[in-house]
Amino acid sequence: MFNFRWVVRYISEMTQEEFIQKAGETRAKAVSVAGRFGCSQDDAEDIAQDVMLRLWNLRGQLNDASHLGASAAIIARRACIDRWRTVHQHREISDAMPIADEDTLHDRLEYAELEQWLNDEIDRLPSTSAMVLRMRQLERRELSEIADILGIRQTSVSTLLSRARNELLNKLKRRNRQ
């Protein structure tokens, strides 16, 4: 994790005018970074506001403000990535299935068979992988929340989720080749 200890000493020595000046420069840097990540002007302003709030909340852990712009850029970059991930959340498994034209009996049967096949394949996954996949995809839980529930590390949750998705994808590819 990024070490913010270097800002507090400088902030405690700053006058109000210096703080206002540094905050303006820092906010401009955050807006600039968000803009380079393809955010709209409104989203960039929101991200800059989040950056300023995070820096304010971290002021007790900061020792030196000489790299305040760099920290703002890092926080803004991470906020942009988080926002992108939120917008591009994984869809539910049922949403990811091809939408069948349910006008014909054949299409309805094919769709129902595909859905049943997918549920059976998820059931065949190792129990932890199946639980992680269901909690993430169907219940839309955060990785940290899943880790807390299962009592494992968040990186382990990510690994299990990735393996489960890859295994299902490979099985689906094999099924479609037949």
Side-chain angles (χ1 to χ4, degrees):
M1 182 162 174
F2 192 74
N3 188 351
F4 290 104
R5 290 190 192 130
W6 34 262
V7 178
V8 166
R9 186 174 359 137
Y10 187 81
I11 289 176
S12 63
E13 297 171 3
M14 266 196 278
T15 65
Q16 185 175 0
E17 292 171 2
E18 289 173 324
F19 178 77
I20 291 171
Q21 179 185 4
K22 287 289 182 187
E25 294 169 5
T26 304
R27 182 172 173 68
K29 179 72 171 179
V31 169
S32 171
V33 168
R36 284 190 305 239
F37 270 84
C39 293
S40 67
Q41 185 62 31
D42 289 338
D43 286 344
E45 291 292 334
D46 290 345
I47 287 171
Q49 186 65 31
D50 289 344
V51 167
M52 297 308 294
L53 287 172
R54 288 181 189 177
L55 287 174
W56 177 255
N57 288 333
L58 293 171
R59 72 188 182 283
Q61 301 170 4
L62 306 172
N63 293 333
D64 183 9
S66 61
H67 296 98
L68 197 57
S71 1
I74 291 170
I75 294 171
R77 180 179 67 87
R78 290 179 181 169
C80 289
I81 292 169
D82 289 345
R83 185 166 294 224
W84 184 86
R85 285 179 179 159
T86 301
V87 169
H88 294 90
Q89 274 184 341
H90 300 290
R91 297 177 297 173
E92 290 186 29
I93 292 174
S94 60
D95 291 343
M97 289 185 194
I99 298 173
D101 180 14
E102 295 187 5
D103 291 339
T104 67
L105 179 60
H106 180 304
D107 291 337
R108 283 185 286 190
L109 288 173
E110 187 176 331
Y111 182 77
E113 188 250 326
L114 178 60
E115 189 172 16
Q116 183 60 45
W117 177 87
L118 185 57
N119 287 326
D120 291 344
E121 291 302 320
I122 290 173
D123 289 339
R124 287 188 187 106
L125 291 172
S127 62
T128 308
S129 296
M131 280 192 303
V132 167
L133 185 67
R134 283 193 174 102
M135 283 191 271
R136 180 67 176 164
Q137 295 300 133
L138 300 177
E139 299 173 15
R140 296 186 184 266
R141 293 180 186 255
E142 296 294 322
L143 295 179
S144 58
E145 186 180 0
I146 296 170
D148 291 340
I149 291 170
L150 297 178
I152 59 178
R153 294 181 317 185
Q154 190 171 338
T155 54
S156 298
V157 171
S158 296
T159 302
L160 287 168
L161 183 61
S162 176
R163 287 180 184 166
R165 287 175 178 162
N166 283 333
E167 189 170 339
L168 284 176
L169 179 63
N170 290 333
K171 287 180 179 183
L172 184 61
K173 285 179 182 177
R174 277 181 283 190
R175 178 180 185 270
N176 289 337
R177 273 189 245 140
Q178 296 175 351

